[in-house]
């Protein structure tokens, strides 16, 4: 049943992509990459990731650390800070591929995750932008306002103290958010917030909330379709799943 649903989803995305003819800038996201050791079931094999990078380049997009143009740019994100990204950093460095890493601050010394020393090392690379994925990865819609603030503020302070940089971006755990969460995050200094709703970068939700497309298991055909915007047809379903009123 799961495989059947994935097949239907891929067909819908690929068919929908036929109706998009623009090269609008877009944010894509993964959870990890691996070659030999796999640190999460959400990880993408390095060979597939390389194919994705090749498709982006061949399609005429520029991979950037920060999108500044409506057309022709792609931002790559990694959620959770699993260890595989650090282990495969050589590929990113060799090919000068910038990525945006969202860190769960309480996970920094856990098995399978990047530790504090490794994160400091990554933060010194111009290719790596580091932001928050909250402190404990709790679903923010299931806790009260004080707990939400604590999740956001603790993560921000821990990362800023450790890395000596400003942390002003966040992505929501499990992609779940609502207007209250948006407002609280903005009030404590997260002026750019990343969702899991597909869409082009400039088509932001509310104020400062960026749309992103999950591509970690996308085949070459599906990836090309998502890059064009084919997954936007699923936007209503994703909004129903992720945007809690």
């Amino acid at each position: 049943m799961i495989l059947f649903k994935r097949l239907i989803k891929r067909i819908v995305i690929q068919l929908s992509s036929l109706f998009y003819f623009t090269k609008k800038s877009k944010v894509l996201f993964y959870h990890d990459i691996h070659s030999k050791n796999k640190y999460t079931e959400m990880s993408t094999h390095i060979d597939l990731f390389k194919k994705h990078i090749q498709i982006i380049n061949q399609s005429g997009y520029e991979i950037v650390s920060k999108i500044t143009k409506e057309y022709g740019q792609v931002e790559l994100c990694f959620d959770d800070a699993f260890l595989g990204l650090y282990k495969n950093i050589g590929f990113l460095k060799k090919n000068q591929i910038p990525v945006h890493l969202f860190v769960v601050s309480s996970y920094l010394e856990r098995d399978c995750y990047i530790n504090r020393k490794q994160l400091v090392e990554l933060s010194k690379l111009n290719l790596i932008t580091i932001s928050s994925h909250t402190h404990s990865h709790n679903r923010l819609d299931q806790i009260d306002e004080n707990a939400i603030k604590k999740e956001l503020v603790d993560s921000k302070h821990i990362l800023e103290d450790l890395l000596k940089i400003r942390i002003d971006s966040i992505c929501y755990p499990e992609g779940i958010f609502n207007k209250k969460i948006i407002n609280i995050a903005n009030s404590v200094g997260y002026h750019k917030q990343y969702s899991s709703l597909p869409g082009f970068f400039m088509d932001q939700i509310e104020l400062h909330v960026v749309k992103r497309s999950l591509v970690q298991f996308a085949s070459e055909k599906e990836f090309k379709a998502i890059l064009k915007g084919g997954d936007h047809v699923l936007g209503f379903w994703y909004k129903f799943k992720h945007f809690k009123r």
Side-chain angles (χ1 to χ4, degrees):
M1 181 61 72
I2 293 177
L3 292 177
F4 178 73
K5 288 181 179 179
R6 286 180 180 174
L7 176 61
I8 295 299
K9 180 181 176 183
R10 288 177 181 177
I11 292 172
V12 169
I13 288 173
Q14 289 172 27
L15 288 175
S16 177
S17 71
L18 299 176
F19 298 94
Y20 287 90
F21 301 98
T22 66
K23 281 178 56 179
K24 286 189 175 182
S25 298
K26 192 169 178 66
V27 182
L28 309 175
F29 79 102
Y30 303 80
H31 281 86
D32 202 21
I33 49 177
H34 68 278
S35 47
K36 294 181 180 179
N37 296 324
K38 193 175 183 180
Y39 298 98
T40 171
E41 291 304 312
M42 298 181 288
S43 186
T44 303
H45 194 280
I46 188 67
D47 290 341
L48 179 59
F49 182 68
K50 289 177 180 179
K51 289 177 182 177
H52 288 179
I53 299 301
Q54 184 179 35
I55 291 168
I56 292 171
N57 292 332
Q58 290 176 344
S59 299
Y61 290 89
E62 177 190 12
I63 303 174
V64 297
S65 57
K66 180 181 179 181
I67 292 176
T68 58
K69 300 177 181 179
E70 184 175 2
Y71 293 90
Q73 295 183 330
V74 167
E75 179 182 341
L76 302 178
C77 299
F78 283 82
D79 292 2
D80 299 337
F82 287 103
L83 189 55
L85 181 69
Y86 177 83
K87 295 290 187 179
N88 291 276
I89 196 64
F91 172 74
L92 301 179
K93 291 167 67 174
K94 179 180 178 181
N95 294 279
Q96 289 295 290
I97 301 169
V99 299
H100 196 163
L101 178 62
F102 291 93
V103 179
V104 183
S105 52
S106 69
Y107 288 5
L108 284 173
E109 297 302 326
R110 290 190 182 184
D111 291 340
C112 298
Y113 292 88
I114 291 168
N115 62 34
R116 290 171 181 265
K117 181 179 178 182
Q118 292 164 340
L119 188 64
V120 170
E121 183 181 337
L122 291 178
S123 73
K124 294 178 181 179
L125 300 176
N126 292 333
L127 294 172
I128 310 297
T129 300
I130 295 173
S131 294
S132 171
H133 198 22
T134 73
H135 180 61
S136 304
H137 203 273
N138 290 325
R139 266 185 54 168
L140 299 178
D141 66 313
Q142 296 181 341
I143 55 180
D144 63 33
E145 185 171 332
N146 289 333
I148 293 172
K149 286 183 178 179
K150 183 173 176 55
E151 280 286 335
L152 304 183
V153 171
D154 285 358
S155 175
K156 182 177 175 66
H157 288 172
I158 288 169
L159 293 176
E160 288 182 340
D161 289 346
L162 176 66
L163 305 175
K164 312 304 179 188
I165 60 175
R166 183 184 179 191
I167 302 293
D168 59 7
S169 296
I170 192 168
C171 72
Y172 311 116
E174 298 184 33
I176 307 296
F177 68 108
N178 55 34
K179 288 187 177 181
K180 180 174 74 173
I181 292 167
I182 293 172
N183 292 333
I184 293 173
N186 188 55
S187 72
V188 300
Y190 291 109
H191 302 308
K192 186 179 286 185
Q193 302 170 34
Y194 288 72
S195 72
S196 299
L197 276 62
F200 294 121
F201 177 79
M202 294 298 177
D203 301 333
Q204 297 187 1
I205 313 158
E206 298 293 332
L207 184 63
H208 310 305
V209 180
V210 177
K211 294 180 178 180
R212 304 187 302 169
S213 293
L214 182 64
V215 295
Q216 61 195 23
F217 299 137
S219 65
E220 292 181 61
K221 286 185 178 180
E222 185 181 2
F223 186 83
K224 289 178 182 178
I226 291 173
L227 194 59
K228 291 180 180 179
D231 60 334
H232 299 187
V233 71
L234 302 174
F236 287 108
W237 180 80
Y238 276 101
K239 189 171 183 179
F240 173 78
K241 183 180 178 182
H242 293 282
F243 187 74
K244 304 298 182 179
R245 298 193 181 276

